[in-house]
PDB file of all heavy atoms in Angstrom:
ATOM      1  N   PRO N   1      23.642  -4.231 -70.971  1.00 94.00           N
ATOM      2  CA  PRO N   1      23.494  -5.497 -70.258  1.00 94.00           C
ATOM      3  C   PRO N   1      22.274  -6.296 -70.835  1.00 94.00           C
ATOM      4  O   PRO N   1      21.375  -5.730 -71.367  1.00 94.00           O
ATOM      5  CB  PRO N   1      23.273  -5.152 -68.844  1.00 94.00           C
ATOM      6  CG  PRO N   1      23.753  -3.748 -68.708  1.00 94.00           C
ATOM      7  CD  PRO N   1      23.499  -3.118 -70.032  1.00 94.00           C
ATOM      8  N   ARG N   2      22.353  -7.597 -70.677  1.00 94.00           N
ATOM      9  CA  ARG N   2      21.256  -8.465 -71.080  1.00 94.00           C
ATOM     10  C   ARG N   2      20.618  -9.125 -69.873  1.00 94.00           C
ATOM     11  O   ARG N   2      21.333  -9.493 -68.918  1.00 94.00           O
ATOM     12  CB  ARG N   2      21.787  -9.555 -72.068  1.00 94.00           C
ATOM     13  CG  ARG N   2      20.666 -10.211 -72.871  1.00 94.00           C
ATOM     14  CD  ARG N   2      21.246 -11.156 -73.860  1.00 94.00           C
ATOM     15  NE  ARG N   2      21.703 -12.434 -73.290  1.00 94.00           N
ATOM     16  CZ  ARG N   2      22.344 -13.367 -73.957  1.00 94.00           C
ATOM     17  NH1 ARG N   2      22.647 -13.191 -75.251  1.00 94.00           N
ATOM     18  NH2 ARG N   2      22.708 -14.494 -73.333  1.00 94.00           N
ATOM     19  N   VAL N   3      19.351  -9.335 -69.945  1.00 93.00           N
ATOM     20  CA  VAL N   3      18.619  -9.947 -68.815  1.00 93.00           C
ATOM     21  C   VAL N   3      18.688 -11.449 -68.908  1.00 93.00           C
ATOM     22  O   VAL N   3      18.602 -12.049 -70.003  1.00 93.00           O
ATOM     23  CB  VAL N   3      17.149  -9.509 -68.825  1.00 93.00           C
ATOM     24  CG1 VAL N   3      16.337 -10.193 -67.730  1.00 93.00           C
ATOM     25  CG2 VAL N   3      17.053  -7.974 -68.685  1.00 93.00           C
ATOM     26  N   ALA N   4      18.869 -12.126 -67.761  1.00 94.00           N
ATOM     27  CA  ALA N   4      18.752 -13.581 -67.707  1.00 94.00           C
ATOM     28  C   ALA N   4      17.297 -13.930 -67.687  1.00 94.00           C
ATOM     29  O   ALA N   4      16.552 -13.537 -66.777  1.00 94.00           O
ATOM     30  CB  ALA N   4      19.453 -14.125 -66.439  1.00 94.00           C
ATOM     31  N   ALA N   5      16.838 -14.668 -68.702  1.00 94.00           N
ATOM     32  CA  ALA N   5      15.393 -14.928 -68.893  1.00 94.00           C
ATOM     33  C   ALA N   5      14.888 -16.038 -67.955  1.00 94.00           C
ATOM     34  O   ALA N   5      13.689 -16.242 -67.831  1.00 94.00           O
ATOM     35  CB  ALA N   5      15.125 -15.279 -70.336  1.00 94.00           C
ATOM     36  N   GLY N   6      15.794 -16.805 -67.348  1.00 95.00           N
ATOM     37  CA  GLY N   6      15.324 -17.901 -66.456  1.00 95.00           C
ATOM     38  C   GLY N   6      16.453 -18.636 -65.874  1.00 95.00           C
ATOM     39  O   GLY N   6      17.626 -18.235 -65.902  1.00 95.00           O
ATOM     40  N   TYR N   7      16.117 -19.796 -65.302  1.00 97.00           N
ATOM     41  CA  TYR N   7      17.134 -20.592 -64.578  1.00 97.00           C
ATOM     42  C   TYR N   7      18.230 -21.101 -65.518  1.00 97.00           C
ATOM     43  O   TYR N   7      19.437 -21.087 -65.183  1.00 97.00           O
ATOM     44  CB  TYR N   7      16.470 -21.793 -63.919  1.00 97.00           C
ATOM     45  CG  TYR N   7      15.375 -21.451 -62.945  1.00 97.00           C
ATOM     46  CD1 TYR N   7      14.292 -22.318 -62.723  1.00 97.00           C
ATOM     47  CD2 TYR N   7      15.381 -20.250 -62.235  1.00 97.00           C
ATOM     48  CE1 TYR N   7      13.270 -22.025 -61.866  1.00 97.00           C
ATOM     49  CE2 TYR N   7      14.371 -19.919 -61.360  1.00 97.00           C
ATOM     50  CZ  TYR N   7      13.345 -20.784 -61.177  1.00 97.00           C
ATOM     51  OH  TYR N   7      12.294 -20.495 -60.294  1.00 97.00           O
ATOM     52  N   ALA N   8      17.846 -21.599 -66.697  1.00 97.00           N
ATOM     53  CA  ALA N   8      18.843 -22.174 -67.610  1.00 97.00           C
ATOM     54  C   ALA N   8      19.862 -21.170 -68.095  1.00 97.00           C
ATOM     55  O   ALA N   8      21.085 -21.398 -68.048  1.00 97.00           O
ATOM     56  CB  ALA N   8      18.159 -22.810 -68.813  1.00 97.00           C
ATOM     57  N   SER N   9      19.406 -19.978 -68.520  1.00 96.00           N
ATOM     58  CA  SER N   9      20.329 -18.972 -68.982  1.00 96.00           C
ATOM     59  C   SER N   9      21.182 -18.426 -67.837  1.00 96.00           C
ATOM     60  O   SER N   9      22.341 -18.091 -68.026  1.00 96.00           O
ATOM     61  CB  SER N   9      19.586 -17.817 -69.636  1.00 96.00           C
ATOM     62  OG  SER N   9      18.594 -17.280 -68.777  1.00 96.00           O
ATOM     63  N   ARG N  10      20.659 -18.407 -66.615  1.00 96.00           N
ATOM     64  CA  ARG N  10      21.438 -17.942 -65.463  1.00 96.00           C
ATOM     65  C   ARG N  10      22.510 -18.969 -65.097  1.00 96.00           C
ATOM     66  O   ARG N  10      23.621 -18.647 -64.747  1.00 96.00           O
ATOM     67  CB  ARG N  10      20.527 -17.645 -64.290  1.00 96.00           C
ATOM     68  CG  ARG N  10      21.163 -16.910 -63.122  1.00 96.00           C
ATOM     69  CD  ARG N  10      20.169 -16.532 -62.053  1.00 96.00           C
ATOM     70  NE  ARG N  10      19.189 -15.577 -62.550  1.00 96.00           N
ATOM     71  CZ  ARG N  10      19.384 -14.238 -62.623  1.00 96.00           C
ATOM     72  NH1 ARG N  10      20.596 -13.770 -62.254  1.00 96.00           N
ATOM     73  NH2 ARG N  10      18.479 -13.463 -63.072  1.00 96.00           N
ATOM     74  N   TYR N  11      22.141 -20.237 -65.138  1.00 97.00           N
ATOM     75  CA  TYR N  11      23.089 -21.302 -64.809  1.00 97.00           C
ATOM     76  C   TYR N  11      24.221 -21.413 -65.833  1.00 97.00           C
ATOM     77  O   TYR N  11      25.340 -21.869 -65.491  1.00 97.00           O
ATOM     78  CB  TYR N  11      22.362 -22.670 -64.757  1.00 97.00           C
ATOM     79  CG  TYR N  11      21.616 -22.951 -63.467  1.00 97.00           C
ATOM     80  CD1 TYR N  11      21.421 -21.969 -62.448  1.00 97.00           C
ATOM     81  CD2 TYR N  11      21.119 -24.197 -63.220  1.00 97.00           C
ATOM     82  CE1 TYR N  11      20.753 -22.250 -61.321  1.00 97.00           C
ATOM     83  CE2 TYR N  11      20.440 -24.495 -62.024  1.00 97.00           C
ATOM     84  CZ  TYR N  11      20.257 -23.542 -61.092  1.00 97.00           C
ATOM     85  OH  TYR N  11      19.590 -23.812 -59.939  1.00 97.00           O
ATOM     86  N   ALA N  12      23.954 -21.001 -67.056  1.00 97.00           N
ATOM     87  CA  ALA N  12      24.993 -21.196 -68.137  1.00 97.00           C
ATOM     88  C   ALA N  12      25.338 -19.824 -68.744  1.00 97.00           C
ATOM     89  O   ALA N  12      25.529 -19.721 -69.946  1.00 97.00           O
ATOM     90  CB  ALA N  12      24.453 -22.158 -69.180  1.00 97.00           C
ATOM     91  N   TRP N  13      25.428 -18.839 -67.936  1.00 97.00           N
ATOM     92  CA  TRP N  13      25.694 -17.462 -68.387  1.00 97.00           C
ATOM     93  C   TRP N  13      27.101 -17.335 -68.963  1.00 97.00           C
ATOM     94  O   TRP N  13      28.102 -17.778 -68.290  1.00 97.00           O
ATOM     95  CB  TRP N  13      25.489 -16.441 -67.302  1.00 97.00           C
ATOM     96  CG  TRP N  13      25.444 -15.040 -67.790  1.00 97.00           C
ATOM     97  CD1 TRP N  13      26.466 -14.116 -67.761  1.00 97.00           C
ATOM     98  CD2 TRP N  13      24.346 -14.365 -68.397  1.00 97.00           C
ATOM     99  NE1 TRP N  13      26.048 -12.928 -68.352  1.00 97.00           N
ATOM    100  CE2 TRP N  13      24.737 -13.074 -68.721  1.00 97.00           C
ATOM    101  CE3 TRP N  13      23.034 -14.792 -68.705  1.00 97.00           C
ATOM    102  CZ2 TRP N  13      23.888 -12.166 -69.354  1.00 97.00           C
ATOM    103  CZ3 TRP N  13      22.185 -13.852 -69.304  1.00 97.00           C
ATOM    104  CH2 TRP N  13      22.617 -12.555 -69.634  1.00 97.00           C
ATOM    105  N   PRO N  14      27.296 -16.776 -70.172  1.00 97.00           N
ATOM    106  CA  PRO N  14      28.640 -16.577 -70.702  1.00 97.00           C
ATOM    107  C   PRO N  14      29.367 -15.387 -70.084  1.00 97.00           C
ATOM    108  O   PRO N  14      29.454 -14.286 -70.664  1.00 97.00           O
ATOM    109  CB  PRO N  14      28.356 -16.349 -72.230  1.00 97.00           C
ATOM    110  CG  PRO N  14      27.008 -15.712 -72.266  1.00 97.00           C
ATOM    111  CD  PRO N  14      26.230 -16.323 -71.107  1.00 97.00           C
ATOM    112  N   SER N  15      29.839 -15.544 -68.876  1.00 96.00           N
ATOM    113  CA  SER N  15      30.441 -14.440 -68.116  1.00 96.00           C
ATOM    114  C   SER N  15      31.704 -13.917 -68.782  1.00 96.00           C
ATOM    115  O   SER N  15      32.052 -12.751 -68.588  1.00 96.00           O
ATOM    116  CB  SER N  15      30.801 -14.935 -66.703  1.00 96.00           C
ATOM    117  OG  SER N  15      29.656 -15.540 -66.073  1.00 96.00           O
ATOM    118  N   ARG N  16      32.416 -14.770 -69.520  1.00 97.00           N
ATOM    119  CA  ARG N  16      33.659 -14.376 -70.193  1.00 97.00           C
ATOM    120  C   ARG N  16      33.640 -14.871 -71.592  1.00 97.00           C
ATOM    121  O   ARG N  16      33.058 -15.926 -71.910  1.00 97.00           O
ATOM    122  CB  ARG N  16      34.901 -14.876 -69.464  1.00 97.00           C
ATOM    123  CG  ARG N  16      35.089 -14.325 -68.082  1.00 97.00           C
ATOM    124  CD  ARG N  16      35.457 -12.856 -68.100  1.00 97.00           C
ATOM    125  NE  ARG N  16      35.686 -12.292 -66.774  1.00 97.00           N
ATOM    126  CZ  ARG N  16      34.737 -11.758 -66.026  1.00 97.00           C
ATOM    127  NH1 ARG N  16      33.479 -11.679 -66.466  1.00 97.00           N
ATOM    128  NH2 ARG N  16      35.021 -11.274 -64.802  1.00 97.00           N
ATOM    129  N   SER N  17      34.272 -14.130 -72.500  1.00 97.00           N
ATOM    130  CA  SER N  17      34.504 -14.613 -73.857  1.00 97.00           C
ATOM    131  C   SER N  17      35.790 -15.417 -73.826  1.00 97.00           C
ATOM    132  O   SER N  17      36.823 -14.911 -73.436  1.00 97.00           O
ATOM    133  CB  SER N  17      34.659 -13.415 -74.790  1.00 97.00           C
ATOM    134  OG  SER N  17      33.448 -12.613 -74.786  1.00 97.00           O
ATOM    135  N   VAL N  18      35.679 -16.662 -74.227  1.00 97.00           N
ATOM    136  CA  VAL N  18      36.818 -17.581 -74.177  1.00 97.00           C
ATOM    137  C   VAL N  18      36.928 -18.330 -75.483  1.00 97.00           C
ATOM    138  O   VAL N  18      35.893 -18.708 -76.086  1.00 97.00           O
ATOM    139  CB  VAL N  18      36.700 -18.558 -72.993  1.00 97.00           C
ATOM    140  CG1 VAL N  18      37.890 -19.534 -72.942  1.00 97.00           C
ATOM    141  CG2 VAL N  18      36.596 -17.802 -71.674  1.00 97.00           C
ATOM    142  N   LEU N  19      38.148 -18.628 -75.896  1.00 98.00           N
ATOM    143  CA  LEU N  19      38.368 -19.553 -76.979  1.00 98.00           C
ATOM    144  C   LEU N  19      39.581 -20.387 -76.603  1.00 98.00           C
ATOM    145  O   LEU N  19      40.714 -19.874 -76.483  1.00 98.00           O
ATOM    146  CB  LEU N  19      38.625 -18.836 -78.288  1.00 98.00           C
ATOM    147  CG  LEU N  19      38.939 -19.774 -79.481  1.00 98.00           C
ATOM    148  CD1 LEU N  19      37.746 -20.673 -79.761  1.00 98.00           C
ATOM    149  CD2 LEU N  19      39.346 -18.970 -80.715  1.00 98.00           C
ATOM    150  N   LEU N  20      39.370 -21.666 -76.383  1.00 98.00           N
ATOM    151  CA  LEU N  20      40.478 -22.581 -76.051  1.00 98.00           C
ATOM    152  C   LEU N  20      41.274 -22.777 -77.372  1.00 98.00           C
ATOM    153  O   LEU N  20      40.707 -23.038 -78.437  1.00 98.00           O
ATOM    154  CB  LEU N  20      39.939 -23.920 -75.561  1.00 98.00           C
ATOM    155  CG  LEU N  20      39.062 -23.860 -74.275  1.00 98.00           C
ATOM    156  CD1 LEU N  20      38.528 -25.274 -73.986  1.00 98.00           C
ATOM    157  CD2 LEU N  20      39.836 -23.310 -73.112  1.00 98.00           C
ATOM    158  N   LEU N  21      42.607 -22.677 -77.236  1.00 97.00           N
ATOM    159  CA  LEU N  21      43.466 -22.803 -78.425  1.00 97.00           C
ATOM    160  C   LEU N  21      44.200 -24.150 -78.350  1.00 97.00           C
ATOM    161  O   LEU N  21      45.250 -24.283 -77.697  1.00 97.00           O
ATOM    162  CB  LEU N  21      44.445 -21.618 -78.466  1.00 97.00           C
ATOM    163  CG  LEU N  21      43.804 -20.236 -78.475  1.00 97.00           C
ATOM    164  CD1 LEU N  21      44.847 -19.158 -78.365  1.00 97.00           C
ATOM    165  CD2 LEU N  21      42.953 -20.059 -79.756  1.00 97.00           C
ATOM    166  N   PRO N  22      43.693 -25.160 -79.046  1.00 96.00           N
ATOM    167  CA  PRO N  22      44.297 -26.500 -78.942  1.00 96.00           C
ATOM    168  C   PRO N  22      45.623 -26.605 -79.729  1.00 96.00           C
ATOM    169  O   PRO N  22      45.807 -25.897 -80.737  1.00 96.00           O
ATOM    170  CB  PRO N  22      43.231 -27.374 -79.589  1.00 96.00           C
ATOM    171  CG  PRO N  22      42.517 -26.508 -80.561  1.00 96.00           C
ATOM    172  CD  PRO N  22      42.532 -25.119 -79.929  1.00 96.00           C
ATOM    173  N   GLU N  23      46.492 -27.434 -79.236  1.00 95.00           N
ATOM    174  CA  GLU N  23      47.795 -27.683 -79.907  1.00 95.00           C
ATOM    175  C   GLU N  23      47.963 -29.226 -80.062  1.00 95.00           C
ATOM    176  O   GLU N  23      47.687 -29.951 -79.121  1.00 95.00           O
ATOM    177  CB  GLU N  23      48.950 -27.143 -79.096  1.00 95.00           C
ATOM    178  CG  GLU N  23      48.892 -25.630 -78.857  1.00 95.00           C
ATOM    179  CD  GLU N  23      50.040 -25.180 -77.976  1.00 95.00           C
ATOM    180  OE1 GLU N  23      51.054 -25.880 -77.898  1.00 95.00           O
ATOM    181  OE2 GLU N  23      49.897 -24.093 -77.353  1.00 95.00           O
ATOM    182  N   GLU N  24      48.434 -29.629 -81.218  1.00 94.00           N
ATOM    183  CA  GLU N  24      48.759 -31.078 -81.444  1.00 94.00           C
ATOM    184  C   GLU N  24      50.129 -31.351 -80.891  1.00 94.00           C
ATOM    185  O   GLU N  24      51.106 -30.653 -81.187  1.00 94.00           O
ATOM    186  CB  GLU N  24      48.717 -31.366 -82.909  1.00 94.00           C
ATOM    187  CG  GLU N  24      47.301 -31.338 -83.510  1.00 94.00           C
ATOM    188  CD  GLU N  24      46.551 -32.625 -83.366  1.00 94.00           C
ATOM    189  OE1 GLU N  24      47.011 -33.466 -82.544  1.00 94.00           O
ATOM    190  OE2 GLU N  24      45.505 -32.809 -84.024  1.00 94.00           O
ATOM    191  N   THR N  25      50.218 -32.356 -80.037  1.00 93.00           N
ATOM    192  CA  THR N  25      51.541 -32.800 -79.521  1.00 93.00           C
ATOM    193  C   THR N  25      51.623 -34.310 -79.694  1.00 93.00           C
ATOM    194  O   THR N  25      50.617 -34.984 -79.979  1.00 93.00           O
ATOM    195  CB  THR N  25      51.667 -32.475 -78.022  1.00 93.00           C
ATOM    196  OG1 THR N  25      50.817 -33.318 -77.263  1.00 93.00           O
ATOM    197  CG2 THR N  25      51.282 -30.999 -77.766  1.00 93.00           C
ATOM    198  N   PRO N  26      52.812 -34.899 -79.546  1.00 92.00           N
ATOM    199  CA  PRO N  26      52.927 -36.340 -79.621  1.00 92.00           C
ATOM    200  C   PRO N  26      52.056 -37.103 -78.612  1.00 92.00           C
ATOM    201  O   PRO N  26      51.621 -38.257 -78.874  1.00 92.00           O
ATOM    202  CB  PRO N  26      54.397 -36.589 -79.369  1.00 92.00           C
ATOM    203  CG  PRO N  26      55.081 -35.326 -79.797  1.00 92.00           C
ATOM    204  CD  PRO N  26      54.129 -34.221 -79.445  1.00 92.00           C
ATOM    205  N   GLU N  27      51.764 -36.465 -77.506  1.00 89.00           N
ATOM    206  CA  GLU N  27      50.932 -37.052 -76.468  1.00 89.00           C
ATOM    207  C   GLU N  27      49.431 -36.842 -76.743  1.00 89.00           C
ATOM    208  O   GLU N  27      48.595 -37.331 -75.989  1.00 89.00           O
ATOM    209  CB  GLU N  27      51.291 -36.500 -75.088  1.00 89.00           C
ATOM    210  CG  GLU N  27      52.676 -36.913 -74.591  1.00 89.00           C
ATOM    211  CD  GLU N  27      53.773 -36.172 -75.292  1.00 89.00           C
ATOM    212  OE1 GLU N  27      53.534 -34.983 -75.708  1.00 89.00           O
ATOM    213  OE2 GLU N  27      54.873 -36.709 -75.415  1.00 89.00           O
ATOM    214  N   GLY N  28      49.137 -36.040 -77.737  1.00 93.00           N
ATOM    215  CA  GLY N  28      47.716 -35.730 -78.039  1.00 93.00           C
ATOM    216  C   GLY N  28      47.477 -34.227 -77.991  1.00 93.00           C
ATOM    217  O   GLY N  28      48.388 -33.428 -77.862  1.00 93.00           O
ATOM    218  N   VAL N  29      46.206 -33.834 -78.080  1.00 95.00           N
ATOM    219  CA  VAL N  29      45.808 -32.444 -78.060  1.00 95.00           C
ATOM    220  C   VAL N  29      45.935 -31.891 -76.633  1.00 95.00           C
ATOM    221  O   VAL N  29      45.472 -32.514 -75.687  1.00 95.00           O
ATOM    222  CB  VAL N  29      44.385 -32.286 -78.586  1.00 95.00           C
ATOM    223  CG1 VAL N  29      43.944 -30.815 -78.497  1.00 95.00           C
ATOM    224  CG2 VAL N  29      44.257 -32.745 -80.021  1.00 95.00           C
ATOM    225  N   VAL N  30      46.527 -30.670 -76.511  1.00 95.00           N
ATOM    226  CA  VAL N  30      46.602 -29.977 -75.234  1.00 95.00           C
ATOM    227  C   VAL N  30      46.205 -28.508 -75.444  1.00 95.00           C
ATOM    228  O   VAL N  30      46.103 -27.998 -76.559  1.00 95.00           O
ATOM    229  CB  VAL N  30      48.032 -30.067 -74.627  1.00 95.00           C
ATOM    230  CG1 VAL N  30      48.437 -31.519 -74.412  1.00 95.00           C
ATOM    231  CG2 VAL N  30      49.031 -29.337 -75.513  1.00 95.00           C
ATOM    232  N   VAL N  31      45.940 -27.847 -74.301  1.00 96.00           N
ATOM    233  CA  VAL N  31      45.614 -26.428 -74.331  1.00 96.00           C
ATOM    234  C   VAL N  31      46.616 -25.683 -73.416  1.00 96.00           C
ATOM    235  O   VAL N  31      46.669 -25.952 -72.222  1.00 96.00           O
ATOM    236  CB  VAL N  31      44.185 -26.194 -73.796  1.00 96.00           C
ATOM    237  CG1 VAL N  31      43.893 -24.694 -73.690  1.00 96.00           C
ATOM    238  CG2 VAL N  31      43.158 -26.853 -74.709  1.00 96.00           C
ATOM    239  N   ARG N  32      47.368 -24.754 -74.027  1.00 94.00           N
ATOM    240  CA  ARG N  32      48.281 -23.945 -73.238  1.00 94.00           C
ATOM    241  C   ARG N  32      47.812 -22.479 -73.106  1.00 94.00           C
ATOM    242  O   ARG N  32      48.069 -21.857 -72.152  1.00 94.00           O
ATOM    243  CB  ARG N  32      49.685 -23.949 -73.880  1.00 94.00           C
ATOM    244  CG  ARG N  32      50.473 -25.218 -73.697  1.00 94.00           C
ATOM    245  CD  ARG N  32      51.939 -25.069 -74.144  1.00 94.00           C
ATOM    246  NE  ARG N  32      52.701 -26.229 -73.836  1.00 94.00           N
ATOM    247  CZ  ARG N  32      52.838 -27.292 -74.615  1.00 94.00           C
ATOM    248  NH1 ARG N  32      52.187 -27.296 -75.780  1.00 94.00           N
ATOM    249  NH2 ARG N  32      53.523 -28.328 -74.243  1.00 94.00           N
ATOM    250  N   SER N  33      47.166 -22.008 -74.142  1.00 94.00           N
ATOM    251  CA  SER N  33      46.700 -20.612 -74.111  1.00 94.00           C
ATOM    252  C   SER N  33      45.262 -20.516 -74.600  1.00 94.00           C
ATOM    253  O   SER N  33      44.715 -21.461 -75.201  1.00 94.00           O
ATOM    254  CB  SER N  33      47.613 -19.738 -74.981  1.00 94.00           C
ATOM    255  OG  SER N  33      47.640 -20.220 -76.314  1.00 94.00           O
ATOM    256  N   VAL N  34      44.674 -19.384 -74.320  1.00 96.00           N
ATOM    257  CA  VAL N  34      43.281 -19.150 -74.646  1.00 96.00           C
ATOM    258  C   VAL N  34      43.099 -17.744 -75.168  1.00 96.00           C
ATOM    259  O   VAL N  34      43.837 -16.824 -74.831  1.00 96.00           O
ATOM    260  CB  VAL N  34      42.376 -19.373 -73.434  1.00 96.00           C
ATOM    261  CG1 VAL N  34      42.478 -20.764 -72.878  1.00 96.00           C
ATOM    262  CG2 VAL N  34      42.665 -18.348 -72.324  1.00 96.00           C
ATOM    263  N   GLY N  35      42.085 -17.549 -75.993  1.00 96.00           N
ATOM    264  CA  GLY N  35      41.602 -16.219 -76.296  1.00 96.00           C
ATOM    265  C   GLY N  35      40.704 -15.819 -75.212  1.00 96.00           C
ATOM    266  O   GLY N  35      39.861 -16.607 -74.734  1.00 96.00           O
ATOM    267  N   PHE N  36      40.855 -14.561 -74.663  1.00 96.00           N
ATOM    268  CA  PHE N  36      40.148 -14.230 -73.456  1.00 96.00           C
ATOM    269  C   PHE N  36      39.706 -12.784 -73.430  1.00 96.00           C
ATOM    270  O   PHE N  36      40.435 -11.868 -73.846  1.00 96.00           O
ATOM    271  CB  PHE N  36      41.064 -14.474 -72.222  1.00 96.00           C
ATOM    272  CG  PHE N  36      40.370 -14.342 -70.914  1.00 96.00           C
ATOM    273  CD1 PHE N  36      39.642 -15.412 -70.354  1.00 96.00           C
ATOM    274  CD2 PHE N  36      40.425 -13.152 -70.200  1.00 96.00           C
ATOM    275  CE1 PHE N  36      39.030 -15.286 -69.129  1.00 96.00           C
ATOM    276  CE2 PHE N  36      39.806 -13.003 -68.981  1.00 96.00           C
ATOM    277  CZ  PHE N  36      39.080 -14.102 -68.420  1.00 96.00           C
ATOM    278  N   GLY N  37      38.470 -12.569 -73.025  1.00 96.00           N
ATOM    279  CA  GLY N  37      37.927 -11.183 -72.934  1.00 96.00           C
ATOM    280  C   GLY N  37      36.661 -11.136 -72.086  1.00 96.00           C
ATOM    281  O   GLY N  37      36.226 -12.177 -71.576  1.00 96.00           O
ATOM    282  N   ALA N  38      36.090  -9.939 -71.941  1.00 96.00           N
ATOM    283  CA  ALA N  38      34.850  -9.833 -71.172  1.00 96.00           C
ATOM    284  C   ALA N  38      33.747 -10.569 -71.896  1.00 96.00           C
ATOM    285  O   ALA N  38      33.725 -10.705 -73.110  1.00 96.00           O
ATOM    286  CB  ALA N  38      34.483  -8.349 -71.040  1.00 96.00           C
ATOM    287  N   GLY N  39      32.760 -11.038 -71.126  1.00 96.00           N
ATOM    288  CA  GLY N  39      31.631 -11.762 -71.671  1.00 96.00           C
ATOM    289  C   GLY N  39      30.429 -10.831 -71.799  1.00 96.00           C
ATOM    290  O   GLY N  39      30.568  -9.626 -71.946  1.00 96.00           O
ATOM    291  N   ILE N  40      29.231 -11.415 -71.741  1.00 96.00           N
ATOM    292  CA  ILE N  40      28.013 -10.642 -71.863  1.00 96.00           C
ATOM    293  C   ILE N  40      27.640 -10.078 -70.458  1.00 96.00           C
ATOM    294  O   ILE N  40      27.485 -10.839 -69.522  1.00 96.00           O
ATOM    295  CB  ILE N  40      26.855 -11.553 -72.371  1.00 96.00           C
ATOM    296  CG1 ILE N  40      27.192 -12.117 -73.735  1.00 96.00           C
ATOM    297  CG2 ILE N  40      25.577 -10.757 -72.420  1.00 96.00           C
ATOM    298  CD1 ILE N  40      27.426 -11.032 -74.804  1.00 96.00           C
TER     299      ILE N  40
END
């Protein structure tokens, strides 16, 4: 485990590993699926 060093790191902690997978559509970019796993 890693220690939260202060307020900023605690407020923005990477709880999960995520990657949004964008797709081009006629209406524009959308997200249907994500890469997903445990975070720090």
Side-chain angles (χ1 to χ4, degrees):
R2 196 174 79 186
V3 176
Y7 302 150
S9 55
R10 192 174 294 279
Y11 279 10
W13 192 261
S15 307
R16 295 291 182 269
S17 300
V18 178
L19 178 63
L20 302 177
L21 303 174
E23 301 176 21
E24 291 275 13
T25 71
E27 292 76 28
V29 176
V30 299
V31 174
R32 286 191 174 87
S33 59
V34 300
F36 188 83
I40 299 299

